[in-house]
Amino acid sequence: MALLEIKDLTIRFGGLAAVSDFECEFAGGELMGLIGPNGAGKTTVFNMVSGFYKPTSGSIVFDGRGTAGLKPHQVTALGVARTFQNIRLWKEMSVLDNIRVAQYYRLGYGVADCFFRSRRYMERESAIERTSREVIDALELTRYTDEMPTNLPYGLQRRVEIARALSLRPKLLLLDEPAAGLNSADVEGLISLIRWVHEEYKLSIWMIEHQMKVVMSLCQWIKVIDFGRIIAEGTPEQIQSNPEVIKAYLGDENI
Amino acid sequence: MQRYNVPVLVCLAGLALCLASQYGWLDLYVQTTIMFLFINVIMSTSLNLINGNMGEFACGHAGFMCVGAYVSSIVSVALFAKSSYFGEPLLDPSWAVVGMPLSLLAGGAVAAVTGLLVAFPSFRTRGDYLAIVTLAANYIIMSVFVNLDTVGGPRGFMGMKKVVSAMNDVLDIPWMMLWTFAFTVFTVFILRRFLWSSLGKGVMAVHQDEIAAEIMSVNTNRIKLVAFMLSSGLAGIAGGLLAHIMGYVNPSAFGILKSTEAMVMVYLGGMGSLTGAVLSAVLMTGLGEVLRPLGILKWVVIPLLLVLLMQFRPAGIMGNRELADVFPRLRRFYKFK
């Protein structure tokens, strides 16, 4: 059974079809890329997969379960985690707290347990802290455990955001332009981080990226969309030489 | 360095207060002021959960106090006192010793349910728009009680003094001081426990980035529901205490002015700081009493102080930090669980 199956995905905002007839399939374990010019609808696809937008038509089946009608937090609980184009950490909460809150879906206790500090609460809370610290250590963020994200440089904030997404123990990780705003040294670090995450956690990664260096060195399979439609797909080598893709990025000479 | 046990210290403080009231070391005026201070602490800490931690602008807090005040008064008067509203008491008045605090809890519970009036709209709207909803809720609640003639309507409801004196007939100790203190400790205690848990941190996550919270598996609607119900429930308890101390409750006492008073305390203490909310409630009540000799000038001096404070500390006294963050040495003296 496929991990993620997207069929005929279409969304219209008013008269504009932002994404039309998008298709995609993850067997599990791939590292796939989604590229396209600005405004092509890449983030819109991610927003539909994570349940934030309701598609006009088409279906998204994750792990054998249709995600139509699910709230974003329910989709996430199924095993889809994501990061954002512009980092969306909770800026006034420590790195540890950021990661603790992200484990909400397996809190395992209720409000009353909070008040009375029941045994269940103590057990769950220490388990949550333990797994949070594990993720922090694994991503080499131990030094920054109690820092506020605002005080961290941009590259580290990215890393914290990836850590937060990983703490959800996803089966599919969506990375929305992970290299945006990073300098070239940070980009090198990010490439090896993503490669390591992919091997270590054995999950599927789907990323949107503009920096060709990142996409070409990481992705096994790339889909290119323009004006909401898939215009090409293939291995990095095939995409690089595809005339349709070059036209979408560089424009048509004849115009 | 020895670590003192907070619960023991709190119990000792409560005992000292009750003894001082019992043996007349504090006169009635000071006692009443202290009780009002505690009520203000409940008011500001519970509103702080919404305005400070969740970042909403709720300006109808007094409405929920009103619900709590009326419900607990009606319950305790109907059960334990002879009144013109309900006639003979349903239970023996001596039961009031146990029943009065339970009636406060009942008032809190009903107020919590009334909190849904704001919680449900908060799923779909926030910020200024939600502020209007809370304001509307305050007015709706006030109008309901103004028009409920069976409990006095605009004339107000009374008879709680009889309940308190029935309690004193059983055992002559300062009951109201005891319960006001106990419920204040209870409020701060459960708020502290809630806000320090991973579940409670979700409230801050909703404040700082609601979209990220939803995507990171936080059920934001549930968080809002819990926060609003908890906040209004605690406000209800504060209202019930106030009604029993005054022996009289009137809907017009719970208008927008009372709500503003709670908001001033939250913003003065610093949004999202529990100790800040406690501190500012103490400060505001204290200032109000200390400056009493100034007469009407008091209402020039206190607002002026507020303006000056906001000029030099725009984030409030504590900002969003706690006392232990500002003075880390305090941590050596206590351990809080």
Side-chain angles (χ1 to χ4, degrees):
Chain A
M1 188 176 58
L3 179 67
L4 177 72
E5 229 179 329
I6 300 177
K7 274 196 190 127
D8 307 321
L9 195 67
T10 301
I11 186 167
R12 286 174 206 283
F13 297 118
L16 176 83
V19 173
S20 36
D21 300 328
F22 186 86
E23 299 206 340
C24 187
E25 199 179 303
F26 275 82
E30 304 93 324
L31 215 167
M32 217 190 292
L34 180 63
I35 65 171
N38 284 325
K42 305 181 295 293
T43 301
T44 311
V45 171
F46 272 22
N47 282 340
M48 284 188 281
V49 173
S50 54
F52 213 74
Y53 288 158
K54 302 272 161 273
T56 315
S57 64
S59 71
I60 302 169
V61 177
F62 184 80
D63 226 3
R65 199 178 182 307
T67 64
L70 291 186
K71 294 235 167 67
H73 69 88
Q74 293 166 319
V75 176
T76 307
L78 290 179
V80 186
R82 71 174 281 188
T83 65
F84 298 90
Q85 202 169 339
N86 42 345
I87 295 170
R88 298 193 93 139
L89 289 167
W90 299 301
K91 297 221 158 66
E92 306 282 325
M93 280 159 65
S94 71
V95 169
L96 179 64
D97 284 346
N98 263 276
I99 291 167
R100 272 172 61 192
V101 173
Q103 302 183 40
Y104 186 93
Y105 77 100
R106 48 193 157 95
L107 270 184
Y109 63 80
V111 183
D113 292 308
C114 277
F115 298 161
F116 301 115
R117 294 266 155 111
S118 64
R119 205 166 90 219
R120 186 164 50 170
Y121 170 90
M122 299 308 276
E123 281 170 10
R124 288 301 307 142
E125 201 68 2
S126 64
I128 286 168
E129 182 160 345
R130 198 169 52 242
T131 44
S132 305
R133 286 189 190 274
E134 272 167 23
V135 175
I136 290 175
D137 292 345
L139 284 144
E140 291 163 5
L141 290 162
T142 320
R143 273 175 62 200
Y144 312 103
T145 309
D146 295 316
E147 283 296 335
M148 301 290 159
T150 11
N151 302 335
L152 298 179
Y154 205 74
L156 275 177
Q157 289 189 27
R158 240 336 147 213
R159 198 176 258 267
V160 175
E161 211 190 16
I162 292 173
R164 188 177 66 172
L166 282 175
S167 76
L168 290 157
R169 294 192 191 148
K171 294 174 191 138
L172 172 67
L173 177 62
L174 309 176
L175 300 172
D176 195 348
E177 295 200 30
L182 300 188
N183 61 33
S184 54
D186 283 342
V187 169
E188 289 298 334
L190 182 82
I191 291 174
S192 54
L193 174 69
I194 293 174
R195 190 169 284 141
W196 177 81
V197 163
H198 184 230
E199 281 161 15
E200 178 75 18
Y201 290 85
K202 307 215 171 2
L203 38 71
S204 304
I205 296 181
W206 194 8
M207 70 164 128
I208 294 174
E209 190 46 70
H210 276 301
Q211 293 203 28
M212 283 308 131
K213 192 166 97 185
V214 180
V215 183
M216 296 304 165
S217 60
L218 282 173
C219 298
Q220 300 151 346
W221 193 257
I222 297 170
K223 275 181 196 289
V224 190
I225 63 173
D226 194 15
F227 294 111
R229 288 179 182 283
I230 299 173
I231 57 168
E233 60 181 298
T235 61
E237 294 74 31
Q238 289 167 340
I239 292 299
Q240 268 169 321
S241 54
N242 187 310
E244 281 289 323
V245 178
I246 294 165
K247 201 168 84 182
Y249 268 90
L250 301 177
D252 199 337
E253 273 176 85
N254 301 328
I255 296 173
Chain B
M1 191 68 83
Q2 189 185 354
R3 275 176 186 245
Y4 299 97
N5 204 335
V6 171
V8 171
L9 277 182
V10 166
C11 288
L12 282 178
L15 196 67
L17 259 179
C18 291
L19 283 177
S21 324
Q22 173 79 342
Y23 294 106
W25 300 328
L26 298 173
D27 62 34
L28 220 52
Y29 162 71
V30 179
Q31 283 184 35
T32 318
T33 308
I34 290 175
M35 287 192 276
F36 284 161
L37 186 151
F38 285 142
I39 286 170
N40 283 344
V41 169
I42 302 182
M43 219 163 78
S44 71
T45 47
S46 60
L47 183 63
N48 185 43
L49 177 62
I50 301 297
N51 285 32
N53 296 112
M54 207 161 74
E56 292 294 358
F57 193 74
C59 42
H61 210 52
F64 304 115
M65 287 179 74
C66 187
V67 173
Y70 264 92
V71 171
S72 64
S73 306
I74 290 167
V75 169
S76 68
V77 168
L79 292 182
F80 311 115
K82 187 173 185 298
S83 65
S84 55
Y85 313 100
F86 313 111
E88 291 297 318
L90 294 170
L91 294 174
D92 187 63
S94 60
W95 279 102
V97 179
V98 206
M100 202 283 296
L102 292 179
S103 80
L104 292 177
L105 288 178
V110 177
V113 174
T114 321
L116 296 177
L117 201 63
V118 176
F120 285 124
S122 79
F123 295 169
R124 320 212 95 219
T125 184
R126 59 178 311 169
D128 304 353
Y129 301 97
L130 191 64
I132 300 293
V133 173
T134 59
L135 198 60
N138 195 345
Y139 276 106
I140 291 170
I141 292 165
M142 264 176 73
S143 321
V144 165
F145 287 109
V146 166
N147 290 298
L148 264 182
D149 258 338
T150 42
V151 289
R155 292 180 306 283
F157 181 83
M158 60 181 92
M160 289 76 86
K161 276 272 191 278
K162 283 183 206 155
V163 179
V164 177
S165 62
M167 290 164 79
N168 282 331
D169 288 343
V170 177
L171 188 63
D172 192 21
I173 58 168
W175 285 106
M176 283 322 294
M177 180 62 93
L178 180 72
W179 284 118
T180 316
F181 182 78
F183 276 109
T184 308
V185 172
F186 169 78
T187 302
V188 177
F189 181 75
I190 66 167
L191 280 174
R192 151 89 208 205
R193 282 196 159 180
F194 177 64
L195 286 169
W196 263 250
S197 70
S198 296
L199 176 62
K201 294 271 177 202
V203 175
M204 277 80 110
V206 168
H207 177 197
Q208 290 170 26
D209 194 330
E210 193 177 337
I211 291 171
E214 183 72 30
I215 295 279
M216 289 300 140
S217 85
V218 178
N219 186 346
T220 52
N221 285 358
R222 175 169 173 239
I223 291 273
K224 288 175 182 173
L225 201 70
V226 169
F228 274 110
M229 286 185 75
L230 187 56
S231 165
S232 49
L234 292 172
I237 290 178
L241 285 166
L242 190 64
H244 281 84
I245 293 168
M246 310 262 282
Y248 169 72
V249 46
N250 184 326
S252 64
F254 298 103
I256 184 76
L257 257 174
K258 191 84 183 165
S259 300
T260 314
E261 204 181 298
M263 272 156 57
V264 166
M265 286 189 281
V266 169
Y267 291 98
L268 179 70
M271 284 163 71
S273 165
L274 190 58
T275 39
V278 175
L279 213 64
S280 67
V282 174
L283 201 70
M284 282 298 285
T285 325
L287 264 182
E289 296 306 320
V290 169
L291 299 179
R292 198 174 277 279
L294 290 180
I296 196 77
L297 265 182
K298 186 173 94 169
W299 296 114
V300 178
V301 175
I302 292 178
L304 202 65
L305 281 175
L306 279 179
V307 172
L308 285 175
L309 191 99
M310 286 299 140
Q311 176 70 31
F312 294 108
R313 275 198 85 92
I317 301 173
M318 306 286 291
N320 61 1
R321 301 191 299 173
E322 297 296 339
L323 203 58
D325 301 331
V326 184
F327 303 107
R329 279 189 191 169
L330 277 176
R331 288 219 175 92
R332 283 196 289 179
F333 294 103
Y334 71 86
K335 193 176 173 187
F336 195 99
K337 276 206 86 175

